[in-house]
Amino acid sequence: MDAFGRGPKGRLEDQRMLTGKGRYVSDWTLPDQAYGHFLRSDRPHAKIVSIDASAALAMPGVIAVITGAELVSAGLKSIPAAAPFKWSDGSEQRSALRPSLAHEVVRHVGEPVALIVAGTAAQAQDAAEAVAIEFEELPAVTTAAEALERAAPRLHAGAPGNLVLDFEGGDKAATAAAFAKAAKVVKLRAYHSRVVGNPMEPRAAMGSYDAAKDMYFLHGTTQGVGPMRGQLSAVLGVAPEKVRVVAEEVGGGFGVRFNAYPEYGALLYAAKKLGRPVKWVGTRSEVFLGDEQARDIVHSGELALDKDGRILGMRFDYLSNLGAYVAFTGAVVNTIGLVNVNCGVYDVQAVHVRGRLVLTNTVPTAAYRGAGRPVASYALECLIDKAAHELGLDPAEFRRRNMIPKSKMPYKLTGGFEYDCGDFEGVMDKALKNSGWNDFQKRKADSKKRGKLRGRGIATYIEMTAPGGFAPYDQAHVTWEDDGSVTLRTASHNHGQGHETTFAQIVSGVLGIPMEKIRLRTAEAGYDLVANPTGGSRTLQGLGSAMFFASQEIVKNGMALAAEELESAQTDIEFVSGSYRIKGTDRLVKIENLAKKFKGKLDLDYKERPKVPGTFPNGCHIAEVEIDPETGETEIVSYVACDDAGTIINHQIVEGQMQGGITQGAGHIFTEQTVYDSSGQLLTGSFMDYAMPRAGLVGGLTVTDFAVPTATNPLGAKGVGEGGVTGSMPCLMNAVTDALREVGVQRLDMPASQERVWAAIQAAKAGKPEAMAISTAA
Ligand code: MCN
């Protein structure tokens, strides 16, 4: 354990969670609560001709049936969408906003059409079957490429041609010049498939309204109360102060618990109208039909190379399927997320990115672990691997040749950002060594003897963590309790990252009290605090730094009190291990005793201070897979991750984050796939059809770190929450591609499921080496 209290520790929250004492949304009960059930569209695209709720209203226990028309006449608005980029011609992002309940038109299967409120959840569900909706079907479109075609059905009047945004980033002219002088150009077009986030806790929410205070309360699954509250206040047309988002445990988020969802506005409206809380607990089916989905991007990349295998320029073109509406973070992940670290870890000053964001009759897509960076990293690192192969170079050597050397730090990117620090070669060298890079051919030969194809994949990644543009500052509210313990309050929300432990470590390290005496509280009904939500792997840097500064300020504030207590001059007092001491003597007072005596004087509401700037965690991942060419069965036999997360506060948690992220990326590559048929029906609507990764999917997983502490925050830390996904996807696909080359397969798009790998091998034997590539997915 060092001075910051950093060290290998179990998590403070585990005891509560593992013994079933956590309170999730469905555990909340408010007096007189009623229950809601959402009737969802079974049509991908249709006009709502009429809704007849009379039979439902006559059923036992039914209190109300609320429709989109009622919400519109009551003045409810759609959920706003962030618009971080303009069109390349300078015009604004087109509008295609999501209403709380569909009005006049439904645009995807699963869209909520009516809210049935009853005395019990079962009564509400039964009554939903008696609501008669007359639809007039409209043609539907499910892929971005088809939606752009002239004859495609149009989804929103505000988005002609279904195109919400056509933007550019980077330096177009410099890139064109680089390509003009290239000795060789390497191209890759690929598909980043659509996934469903699937946190363990399905979405649930309870709306209530306090008439005396004229305030709305939403008990819900949230990653942080700020943006959700802002979105709900826009929907309800009230000031943000009139809305509180309340949560204790949140059973996973992965980005899909970030935004306000349609159901929330409808529940809050119903609670006010009916004068009683209305609770809705979603099912796993509703996760598939109603949670924001993710990715679904076709991307093309090109590298301009000189004759020595140096990259002169890069060009990327992304076609993103936004689904039926622009979700709040829909455009963020498909713009900022794709361009902010545009050259990866490579020393390339000519990069150009174009992105088109397109509407289709599918569930809206938005943030999902990595929020665009895994897509950018996948596009780049698969392309880099292809280039190495075409040049006949060792893929690590090709990367090394082009890496930004640490001597060039800080390094300015085309487009504005600046990498503050990093040693990309150092990171890669450690990964190479740990993976036994040079002995691969021996292992490949062994596999061959056993009839298996062995492939090796490598990928580097870099991402930006911490800026957090959703709140102006990160508030850390610190209160000393009567028993000498400390309560920390903030507005970010822990949903699996271990914040209770790591923030306690940070504060304990400064205040010198045991971390077990420090409690973190977030999203309480009685507190109205400001902080960025948990996302973008920013929370340790952003909020952890605020906690650190707040603790330091408390220690400083205690000096005068300690001087009074010890009857000494402040200049003679030092703070050591939780006590103020007169230097050179054994006369001291513990900070917790001082806090008890001077009640409230050592509390601190740390707010309105500048946020710490962003920084750039990075890593190098190397995987080996074995494929059975007879069956297509693929096994990940080893996986070595080496990541630079700067200074690590808690190694156990960081390792867990990396393991989870890598497995999530592996799930995307090998098992998960969201499939719509061409009419817009979701074919993969349950775990019977949608395969989540199992814990054992990533065999031989070793996580190591190579720390280059950043000076952008006082902890020296960089984010880790998403790096596992960002690194693992290209790494694993490169390994599969490497193995399949031996049997003539040139391209395979994700998922590399057993069936698709087998089919790719069969097709290659029949002379079609790219049969399972993009042409089948677009
Ligand atoms: N940490 C550390 N040392 C570092 C960096 C981080 O000890 N150098 C610790 C932090 O203190 C924190 C954890 O690691 O306890 C993750 O920190 P950080 O990288 O700051 O990420 P966030 O806390 O902001 O978490 C967000 C990130 C994102 S964006 C998604 S999505 C995600 C993820 O975290 N969703 C998760 N990890 C998840 N883990 C679980 N179990 N469930 C999710 O839904």
Side-chain angles (χ1 to χ4, degrees), residues 252-255 369 495-499 502 534-540 645 647-650 653-654 657 717-722:
F254 307 114
R369 203 168 189 174
H495 48 277
Q497 292 86 354
H499 293 165
T502 45
T534 297
S537 302
R538 70 168 312 278
T539 316
L540 173 67
T647 308
I648 288 176
I649 299 297
N650 186 309
I653 286 176
V654 166
Q657 284 293 312
K718 305 174 182 177
V720 298
E722 295 156 292

Side-chain angles (χ1 to χ4, degrees), residues 3 13 31 34 51 74 114 151 211 214 237 247 256 286 390 420 467 484 534 577 582 591 618-619 637 691 723 759 763:
E13 49 269 71
I51 301 179
D214 183 27
V256 299
E286 288 178 292
E390 287 189 14
D420 61 294
T534 297
S577 306
I582 301 176
I591 189 167
N618 58 88
V637 286

Side-chain angles (χ1 to χ4, degrees), residues 491-514:
S492 295
H493 212 286
N494 184 19
H495 48 277
Q497 292 86 354
H499 293 165
E500 280 177 61
T501 303
T502 45
F503 293 165
Q505 276 182 255
I506 291 166
V507 173
S508 157
V510 181
L511 296 183
I513 63 170

